[in-house]
Structure formats: C-alpha cells, structure tokens
Amino acid sequence: MNRKPYPSDLTDEQWAVLQDMIPDALPGGCPRKHPMRELLNALFYHNREGCSWRAIPHDFGIPWKTVYNYFRAWAADGTWDRLVTALRMRVRRAAGRDPDPQAGYIDSQSAKTAQGGEQRGYDGGKKVQGRKRHIVVDSLGLLLAVVVTAADVEDGRAAQDLLADMPGRYYPRLKVIWGDGKYHNYALYDWLSIHRRPYRVAVVNRPAGAAGWVQLPKRWVVERTFAWLGRYRRLSKDYEKLTATSAAMVQVSAIHHMLRRLKPKAHQERFHYKRPRKKAA
C-alpha cells in the first residue's frame, strides 16, 4: 500500500480474518483488476466518513463505480449477510460465548432521507420524514437481522418482516427477543405461532408513573448498538434510494465494527485540543 493510511483501513490482522470470507470471482467473468483489500478499504472509508460515492479518494486507486458495483453485487448475492453471521460467531467465541445466542433485542430507529426513493413516510412519534431501521441484536449488541421500511410502518408490523429472516433452524438456541411496548402486538404473536417460531417476543415496559429518561433492563442493549452505528456517518441520514441498499449499509457498518472489536488496533491516536497559552503580563 503506497499511500498514507486512513483510520478506517483494515489492519493486517483484520484482513487476515476477512480474507478467506471474500467470495471468489465468478467463473467465466473478467479477472479482478483491483486488490480486494483496497476495495474494502474504500468501501469502509465511504461508510465511516459519510462521503458520496463519487467523493471516494483517488489514492485508493479504484474507480468509485467499481466500489459501488461490488457493494450492490454483494448485497444481492447475500455476501454481506454471510459476513455478518460469520464474524458474529467469531466475536462470540472470542468472548467465551456460544456462537448461537439465547436472547435477542429488537428496536427501530427513524432516520431522515436525503433524497427521493422507495418507501418513505412520516413517523408522527419522532416527527421524522423518512425511513425506519429495524434491527435485532444479541446480548453483545451484535447484529442478527436488519430490515428498512418507511417511517410510518408500525414496529409490530415491521417485526414480522424482520423475524422472517430469523427462522428457528438458523437460531436453535434462541428463546426470547426483548422489546419495548410497541411489540405488544397480537398480530405479531399470531404470526410467530403460525410460522412456528421457537422463540417469543417479551415486552419491557416503563415503570408506572416514571417521568423523563429511565434506564430500562434489556432494552439498553439494542440502544447501545444504535449508538455504535451512529459513529458511521453514512448512517446519519438515509442516503439510499432503495431500502435493500439501506439495510446493506447497516450490515457494512456492523462488519467493520465487529472486525475492530475482534482485532483492535494496537495504537489509536487521540485528538486533543491545544489550549492557547496565556500571554505574560
């Protein structure tokens, strides 16, 4: 790499983890002209720093259109899904946990849209015109599933689409998914019964008479994950035209977060403001 590194670049240890998970080139197609590590560095830079596709720095040596095409292709063929699953299992093993979680935590986050696109609506509770990101995480805050809908879609209804991506055969140990009062939804309970999900949705309500902010058991886990995702500036708004690419952006952020959690950098430079010196009297 003949350039100055960016903070979002993969370290050698992180690339060693990810290298064997990258899908091979399609047989019969054109050979790859660009190194996959630099392509992922460009994609993680775009996701972390929040620039537009055309503003990806030239010193990566890869055209922005190539980075975009790989992003869309891997979203379509399920590569991002597989990377999220594989890395989540590795992080859980490294933490001394079973690879399959016993509990999940569900919630949604409303985000403004920056342009037109499919499935846009108005969330009257949050006063947001745009979309909602619905996620389920495990007890470590690692992503299990993500779905993006219009902001006016009820959380209990969107949970059906979210949990449709979590069949019991993929989560044999999962017993309960914790959520807030929005998931006390009889249509959701019927859906879980009809589709024979081995887990249930349990609701954690606010204490009676509580005013202002209250830290509630269980629910803080998924709120912490939204805070982690908030460090990725591409997610500051929903810049995507398609909900599928919007969900893929959340997965890319989760992948980068898990890599840094699994193989943290040896040294992280910190920025400190320099206080102006007082002039001598």
Side-chain angles (χ1 to χ4, degrees):
M1 186 171 64
N2 298 321
R3 61 175 176 81
K4 187 176 180 180
Y6 291 104
S8 57
D9 283 352
L10 295 171
T11 64
D12 293 339
E13 293 78 11
Q14 292 167 358
W15 173 240
V17 171
L18 200 59
Q19 186 174 10
D20 294 336
M21 303 180 188
I22 303 301
D24 296 329
L26 295 176
C30 296
R32 287 174 174 167
K33 299 180 180 179
H34 306 287
M36 288 293 99
R37 180 173 177 176
E38 276 295 80
L39 186 139
L40 285 168
N41 282 337
L43 182 56
F44 289 143
Y45 176 93
H46 165 267
N47 183 262
R48 181 79 177 188
E49 303 303 331
C51 66
S52 64
W53 289 106
R54 288 174 173 82
I56 291 176
H58 300 291
D59 55 357
F60 285 111
I62 304 176
W64 71 267
K65 189 67 173 178
T66 301
V67 181
Y68 174 77
N69 287 341
Y70 270 96
F71 167 74
R72 289 296 303 273
W74 287 353
D77 66 10
T79 296
W80 299 128
D81 289 323
R82 292 189 290 272
L83 291 178
V84 167
T85 300
L87 289 173
R88 182 181 67 246
M89 289 182 172
R90 291 196 61 160
V91 174
R92 288 184 62 85
R93 288 193 188 98
R97 304 293 187 92
D98 191 282
D100 296 314
Q102 281 188 313
Y105 306 82
I106 187 172
D107 203 357
S108 67
Q109 179 190 60
S110 297
K112 295 180 180 180
T113 49
Q115 58 184 352
E118 64 178 12
Q119 295 193 38
R120 297 171 65 247
Y122 183 72
D123 181 355
K126 300 293 179 62
K127 304 295 190 288
V128 171
Q129 176 73 32
R131 295 190 182 128
K132 273 185 185 178
R133 302 175 183 128
H134 308 265
I135 64 172
V136 179
V137 302
D138 68 2
S139 57
L140 297 180
L142 307 178
L143 188 67
L144 297 177
V146 56
V147 164
V148 178
T149 67
D152 57 357
V153 175
E154 184 184 7
D155 287 0
R157 170 63 189 86
Q160 298 179 24
D161 297 331
L162 188 60
L163 300 182
D165 293 335
M166 298 177 59
R169 65 181 180 276
Y170 294 154
Y171 301 93
R173 298 179 69 247
L174 188 60
K175 301 301 181 184
V176 60
I177 296 178
W178 299 95
D180 57 24
K182 295 175 291 186
Y183 298 98
H184 179 54
N185 184 291
Y186 291 107
L188 175 59
Y189 300 153
D190 292 340
W191 184 93
L192 290 169
S193 177
I194 292 171
H195 291 82
R196 299 182 178 180
R197 290 294 191 265
Y199 49 81
R200 62 186 177 90
V201 173
V203 173
V204 179
N205 292 310
R206 288 172 58 87
W213 182 85
V214 178
Q215 181 175 345
L216 300 176
K218 310 295 184 182
R219 284 168 49 177
W220 65 269
V221 176
V222 66
E223 296 291 350
R224 180 183 59 178
T225 301
F226 278 126
W228 290 339
L229 294 175
R231 298 173 182 173
Y232 293 85
R233 297 186 178 184
R234 185 71 183 187
L235 301 182
S236 61
K237 290 185 179 180
D238 194 327
Y239 293 95
E240 313 304 320
K241 291 186 176 181
L242 304 177
T243 55
T245 56
S246 182
M249 275 295 170
V250 176
Q251 291 176 318
V252 171
S253 301
I255 289 167
H256 192 247
H257 169 79
M258 286 189 284
L259 284 169
R260 302 184 78 171
R261 188 165 176 172
L262 189 62
K263 297 292 183 180
K265 290 185 177 181
H267 174 69
Q268 182 70 35
E269 293 185 0
R270 296 183 178 273
F271 177 78
H272 297 281
Y273 286 101
K274 293 183 178 179
R275 295 182 178 180
R277 295 182 178 179
K278 294 183 178 180
K279 294 182 179 180

